[in-house]
Amino acid sequence: MTRPDRTYAGRMGDSLLDRVTRLPFVIPGDPTGVPASVLLALAPVEGADDLELVLVERPVHLRQHAGQIGLPGGAVDPTDADGVAAALREAQEEVGLDPSGVRVLGSLDRAYLAVSDFDVLPVVGVWDGLAPLTPSPDEVAAILRPTLRQLADPANHGTMAFGEILGEEEMAARSVPGNLASPVFWVDGTLVWGFTAGLLVGFLNSLRLQAPPLPAYWGTRP
């Protein structure tokens, strides 16, 4: 039996993969906060002009971001050559994604995460999507693999007040103003919000796909 072709080489046009390839990637500058990076690992969807993305659900026992949905990634270690190497290492540690199978296209502008003072470098890469992914139980409770067009569907995204997401008690504990809201995505019933949702909004916008609006204060440094 012949395995379906899921390679990402092909004639340049206006497919979703073509748009990703033509993004205005940047040479990362020095971070102003704690250096960190995440990997947007994209895989072609057989028979469709779409790309699958790897998201992770954090375990509830974590000190920060417990139970939240994020991208594979974390702080840059002293042994990492750079932010790209850190993103690939974290993806391998968290979900078993072999870095040798990822073609890194480039990096996007840094995004600031105030709760941890992380200055996050989003790294964009493509892989064939065929190898199984396995969550590391210490860091990942589950793996989600939505497609970009699924996220861009207005039925799957919107804006939600932080009070609805966190509840009054958590809002008070975090000293979050009651009038703030977050872009959100629903992935098969699971809510994606906060920093990751904001990063996805920017990514979808750069690909001319629909996304919820970002609040004016989003990503600003104190």
Side-chain angles (χ1 to χ4, degrees):
M1 179 181 294
T2 302
R3 172 169 286 183
D5 182 11
R6 299 187 67 183
T7 60
Y8 34 76
R11 185 166 52 90
M12 291 297 288
D14 196 43
S15 71
L16 205 48
L17 181 57
D18 292 331
R19 296 183 201 179
V20 172
T21 304
R22 293 196 298 264
L23 285 175
F25 296 113
V26 302
I27 298 175
D30 293 332
T32 57
V34 179
S37 59
V38 294
L39 181 65
L40 289 99
L42 304 170
V45 176
E46 183 184 350
D49 178 22
D50 207 350
L51 295 170
E52 186 183 72
L53 176 69
V54 177
L55 297 175
V56 295
E57 180 181 348
R58 299 300 179 187
V60 295
H61 67 257
L62 294 183
R63 185 173 57 87
Q64 288 187 332
H65 315 303
Q68 294 183 24
I69 307 301
L71 291 155
V76 177
D77 285 351
T79 56
D80 293 322
D82 52 24
V84 172
L88 294 173
R89 173 185 55 77
E90 288 281 358
Q92 183 177 33
E93 293 175 356
E94 293 182 1
V95 300
L97 179 56
D98 184 357
S100 68
V102 179
R103 180 164 68 101
V104 174
L105 299 179
S107 303
L108 304 175
D109 286 330
R110 293 186 182 276
Y112 182 66
L113 181 55
V115 68
S116 58
D117 193 36
F118 277 176
D119 212 356
V120 181
L121 181 71
V123 177
V124 180
V126 291
W127 66 299
D128 62 18
L130 295 174
L133 301 179
T134 304
S136 170
D138 290 337
E139 300 183 87
V140 177
I143 299 172
L144 288 71
R145 298 176 67 168
T147 74
L148 296 187
R149 294 197 185 277
Q150 178 184 351
L151 295 173
D153 185 339
N156 294 327
H157 66 237
T159 304
M160 186 178 294
F162 274 107
E164 294 183 65
I165 299 171
L166 298 173
E168 294 183 7
E169 184 176 337
E170 187 67 17
M171 288 278 287
R174 297 190 185 197
S175 300
V176 178
N179 62 338
L180 298 186
S182 170
V184 297
F185 295 88
W186 290 274
V187 178
D188 299 328
T190 299
L191 184 67
V192 183
W193 61 280
F195 176 81
T196 300
L199 195 152
L200 291 177
V201 167
F203 188 56
L204 293 175
N205 285 338
S206 70
L207 298 173
R208 306 195 309 275
L209 295 176
Q210 290 190 352
L214 280 179
Y217 65 86
W218 201 265
T220 57
R221 288 165 169 75

